[in-house]
Amino acid sequence: MSAEFIKLYPRNPDLRRIEHIVKALRDGAVIIYPTDTIYGMGCDIHNTRAVERVARIKGIKPTKNDFSFICYDLSHIADYARVGNQAFKLMKKVLPGPFTFILEATGSVPKILNSNKKTVGIRVPDNDIPRQIVHELGNPIITTSIRDEDEIIEYSTDPELIFEKFQNQVDIVIDGGYGGNVASTIVDATDDNFSIIRQGLGELTL
């Protein structure tokens, strides 16, 4: 069965469509959605079968995944990660924005992902589509990037082409307009000696 193709606008997305997507996530859907950087694929973090599906689509073992979590804001991050005062100040300053913060995981994360992960990546993208989905869902969604097989273009940016490629593998593809081709900046914030693991769209002076 082919995926749904749902058009949403990054600012003030249609709430009825958001609620439809959230219901699908609760039922175990895998979705593709825009962020403030590149398009991502994900599901409800609490649906084990959906997490396993995302891993299969990506061609990785669920226990070896490097999925990050998309959160609405910083209010529930302590449920999933241990955040030092300095890290919290920095995150509060730059989020929502094009950053992934690597933090020490709480005990709930390995259970959620059925893995031995000791760290977790946290994203609060500056895009109302994924943030509103997470807000209505009541908990984060996992996120992993949509890569392109093109040797020059690393990430898929056209939602219609993404739909063509993944329509028989996922349940919903959200068209939020053309995506970017530069991923988020990854910051290791597991201690107060912050370091940039990958320089992406976000500019940070440490």
Side-chain angles (χ1 to χ4, degrees):
M1 191 169 139
S2 182
E4 291 183 79
F5 191 60
I6 299 175
K7 175 73 177 177
L8 286 173
Y9 295 97
R11 299 296 172 195
N12 301 314
D14 186 314
L15 188 57
R16 284 175 302 176
R17 291 181 180 177
I18 293 285
E19 287 170 348
H20 171 75
I21 293 163
V22 167
K23 182 180 183 304
L25 284 167
R26 289 193 178 121
D27 290 339
V30 173
I31 67 171
I32 290 175
Y33 49 87
T35 69
D36 53 352
T37 55
I38 58 179
Y39 267 81
M41 179 192 304
C43 64
D44 184 340
I45 60 170
H46 294 298
N47 194 303
T48 306
R49 286 188 180 179
V51 173
E52 289 171 351
R53 269 184 69 198
V54 174
R56 279 200 306 273
I57 293 167
K58 289 282 287 188
I60 56 177
K61 292 181 179 178
T63 54
K64 301 291 185 185
N65 74 72
D66 59 351
F67 303 145
S68 295
F69 291 2
I70 285 189
C71 301
Y72 176 72
D73 57 20
L74 300 182
S75 60
H76 299 295
I77 285 180
D79 295 340
Y80 310 103
R82 294 182 178 86
V83 191
N85 289 335
Q86 294 302 111
F88 189 80
K89 283 180 188 174
L90 178 59
M91 293 170 76
K92 198 171 180 183
K93 181 180 173 184
V94 301
L95 297 177
F99 298 92
T100 300
F101 282 89
I102 305 299
L103 299 162
E104 186 183 347
T106 63
S108 64
V109 170
K111 296 186 190 79
I112 288 167
L113 298 179
N114 192 24
S115 70
N116 296 316
K117 281 177 76 76
K118 298 204 169 34
T119 59
V120 63
I122 298 292
R123 282 274 277 130
V124 183
D126 188 14
N127 184 308
D128 286 346
I129 294 172
R131 289 185 70 219
Q132 284 301 323
I133 289 170
V134 165
H135 188 258
E136 292 298 316
L137 183 63
N139 58 257
I141 57 176
I142 65 167
T143 183
T144 183
S145 58
I146 301 291
R147 290 187 177 272
D148 200 296
E149 274 118 30
D150 189 290
E151 290 181 7
I152 299 171
I153 302 169
E154 188 174 0
Y155 300 102
S156 303
T157 59
D158 184 336
E160 291 189 2
L161 293 178
I162 292 171
F163 177 75
E164 282 181 25
K165 181 177 179 180
F166 289 100
Q167 61 181 312
N168 296 314
Q169 298 180 70
V170 303
D171 303 291
I172 295 172
V173 176
I174 299 170
D175 175 2
Y178 272 84
N181 194 35
V182 180
S184 64
T185 293
I186 301 177
V187 183
D188 182 345
T190 51
D191 57 37
D192 288 343
N193 297 313
F194 307 132
S195 60
I196 293 174
I197 298 173
R198 178 186 71 193
Q199 181 61 56
L201 188 64
E203 293 291 335
L204 200 62
T205 304
L206 296 178

